[in-house]
């Protein structure tokens, strides 16, 4: 397949890259790591108002741009390069859940706020087992009234739940797994931030004790599985961006660092290491782009290419971040050096939305292996 971006898509990349270089330099990333929210709300609003990033895949009738997953992949890749702290992946997951549900009322109620940057939304799936599979959901939904239910259970690894205005929660009801809407501050809802390996992305434990919630009409187990596939594509593209930045960092250091009167990049061991790393990054990029195209084009291969991309991009980012630290040597282990920030993001992202092993198992099942 010959894959290329349009002039409009390249213009989008240029605009987003320029914006992120200005608002998310390393110094700002480190500052936000130490704050309670973990992101800059002013930057979040600017991203919505100046670039329309939060509303990219939201229909125009609901305040968005009506773009697709190719454009979303471009944005996610650029955010991965800069390690932008903020609830963007959470917004993608919540938006996908609303759109895939087909619940017009819920979409009209929530999507305009998400697109405008006024509503922060997230998706809560994983529980104590750490599994993201719909079959492993144990949180219970019991009928309360005709319009709402009560949720009881505990969710783990919920991205940005500590700042979310809206949580879309996977729970098991009388007819199986479905999705439910919970507003921040609901009675019985407790959100506890978790200590994370990657401090640029916040996770939380969400406890629900008879929390009133409203069903997301039309959302069933199949809806949740598709939402996780789409979220995995966005995360794969983000991983590609992080991997590219780590590779660029390693190549530049190999050119600048001199030992025995030569740049270390002239040594065969370093050259071969970086060449192999480049191959991994480019292969990951191809996988992520193909998965994004599949999502945008409604390709029937999406259920197989999405887990393939997530598994491969996770491994490629982890390898690239590790090789970057190897090229830099001992300095990369110090707190002041940025290499460890990408290593932490790589390792945490590999487990988010399911580990590489889980995605390979899913891929094997869908291929009938």
């Amino acid at each position: 397949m010959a894959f290329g971006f349009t002039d409009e898509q390249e213009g989008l990349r240029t605009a987003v890259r320029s914006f992120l270089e200005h608002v998310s330099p390393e110094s700002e990333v480190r500052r936000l790591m130490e704050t309670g929210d973990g992101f800059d709300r002013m930057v979040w609003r600017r991203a919505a108002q100046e670039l329309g990033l939060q509303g990219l895949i939201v229909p125009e009738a609901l305040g968005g741009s009506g773009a697709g997953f190719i454009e979303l992949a471009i944005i996610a890749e650029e955010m991965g390069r800069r390690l932008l702290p903020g609830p963007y992946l959470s917004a993608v997951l919540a938006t996908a859940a609303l759109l895939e549900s087909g619940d017009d009322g819920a979409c009209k109620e929530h999507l305009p706020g998400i697109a405008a940057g006024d509503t922060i939304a997230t998706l809560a799936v994983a529980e104590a087992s750490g599994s993201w599979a719909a079959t492993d959901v144990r949180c219970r939904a019991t009928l309360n009234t005709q319009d709402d239910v009560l949720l009881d259970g505990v969710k783990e690894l919920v991205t940005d739940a500590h700042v979310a205005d809206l949580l879309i929660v996977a729970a098991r009801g009388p007819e199986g797994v479905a999705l439910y809407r919970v507003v921040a501050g609901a009675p019985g809802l407790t959100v506890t931030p978790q200590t994370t390996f990657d401090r640029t992305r916040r996770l939380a434990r969400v406890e629900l004790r008879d929390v009133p919630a409203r069903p997301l009409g039309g959302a069933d187990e199949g809806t949740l599985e598709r939402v996780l596939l789409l979220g995995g594509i966005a995360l794969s593209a983000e991983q590609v961006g992080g991997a590219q930045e780590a590779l660029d960092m390693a190549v530049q250091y190999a050119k600048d660092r001199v030992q025995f009167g030569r740049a270390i990049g002239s040594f065969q061991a370093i050259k071969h290491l970086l060449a192999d790393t480049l191959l991994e990054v480019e292969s990951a990029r191809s996988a992520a782009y193909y998965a994004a195209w599949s999502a945008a084009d409604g390709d029937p291969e999406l259920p197989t290419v999405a887990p393939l991309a997530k598994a491969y991009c996770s491994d490629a980012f982890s390898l690239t971040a590790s090789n970057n630290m190897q090229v830099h040597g001992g300095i990369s282990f110090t707190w002041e050096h940025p290499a460890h920030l990408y290593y932490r993001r790589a390792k945490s992202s590999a487990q988010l939305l399911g580990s590489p092993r889980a995605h390979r198992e899913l891929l094997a099942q869908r291929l009938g292996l």
Side-chain angles (χ1 to χ4, degrees), residues 84-143:
L84 178 72
Y88 194 76
L89 179 62
S90 299
V92 170
L93 290 166
T95 298
L98 288 162
L99 292 174
E100 292 297 322
S101 73
D103 188 331
D104 291 337
C107 288
K108 291 178 181 178
E109 180 179 352
H110 301 297
L111 288 179
I114 293 174
D118 297 329
T119 300
I120 296 175
T122 190
L123 178 70
V125 178
E127 300 179 3
S129 67
S131 171
W132 292 80
T135 53
D136 292 328
V137 171
R138 296 292 179 267
C139 181
R140 298 191 307 276
T142 56
L143 188 63

Side-chain angles (χ1 to χ4, degrees), residues 142-180:
T142 56
L143 188 63
N144 182 32
T145 69
Q146 186 176 1
D147 297 323
D148 62 57
V149 299
L150 296 178
L151 301 184
D152 189 84
V154 177
K155 295 293 182 180
E156 306 283 354
L157 309 176
V158 184
T159 56
D160 307 300
H162 67 300
V163 293
D165 305 299
L166 172 69
L167 294 91
I168 298 178
V169 182
R172 189 173 296 277
E175 299 181 359
V177 174
L179 296 176
Y180 301 87

Side-chain angles (χ1 to χ4, degrees), residues 302-317:
L302 178 66
T304 56
V305 298
L308 184 153
K310 176 58 169 66
Y312 195 94
C313 292
S314 293
D315 287 344
F317 189 12

Side-chain angles (χ1 to χ4, degrees), residues 166-303:
L166 172 69
L167 294 91
I168 298 178
V169 182
R172 189 173 296 277
E175 299 181 359
V177 174
L179 296 176
Y180 301 87
R181 292 171 285 160
V182 175
V183 297
L189 176 67
T190 303
V191 178
T192 305
Q194 295 175 306
T195 301
T196 57
F197 184 63
D198 173 20
R199 296 173 65 181
T200 66
R201 172 172 280 139
R202 300 300 174 88
L203 303 175
R205 182 176 190 266
V206 176
E207 186 175 354
L208 306 110
R209 299 305 177 200
D210 291 332
V211 174
R214 289 180 294 166
L216 190 56
D220 55 14
E221 186 171 316
T223 304
L224 176 59
E225 290 177 350
R226 181 169 172 82
V227 169
L228 292 176
L229 288 177
L230 296 175
I233 292 171
L235 184 54
S236 297
E238 180 193 283
Q239 290 171 314
V240 169
Q244 183 64 62
E245 185 66 19
L247 174 59
D248 291 346
M249 197 185 303
V251 169
Q252 189 60 52
Y253 187 76
K255 293 177 179 178
D256 296 340
R257 182 73 168 94
V258 175
Q259 283 187 330
F260 307 109
R262 299 167 56 187
I264 63 172
S266 66
F267 296 121
Q268 189 176 60
I270 299 295
K271 285 193 287 189
H272 286 187
L273 178 69
L274 292 177
D276 290 342
T277 306
L278 173 62
L279 178 61
E280 289 296 318
V281 174
E282 288 300 318
S283 298
R285 177 175 284 109
S286 296
Y289 286 177
Y290 185 75
W293 172 84
S294 297
D297 202 54
D299 184 42
E301 290 187 342
L302 178 66

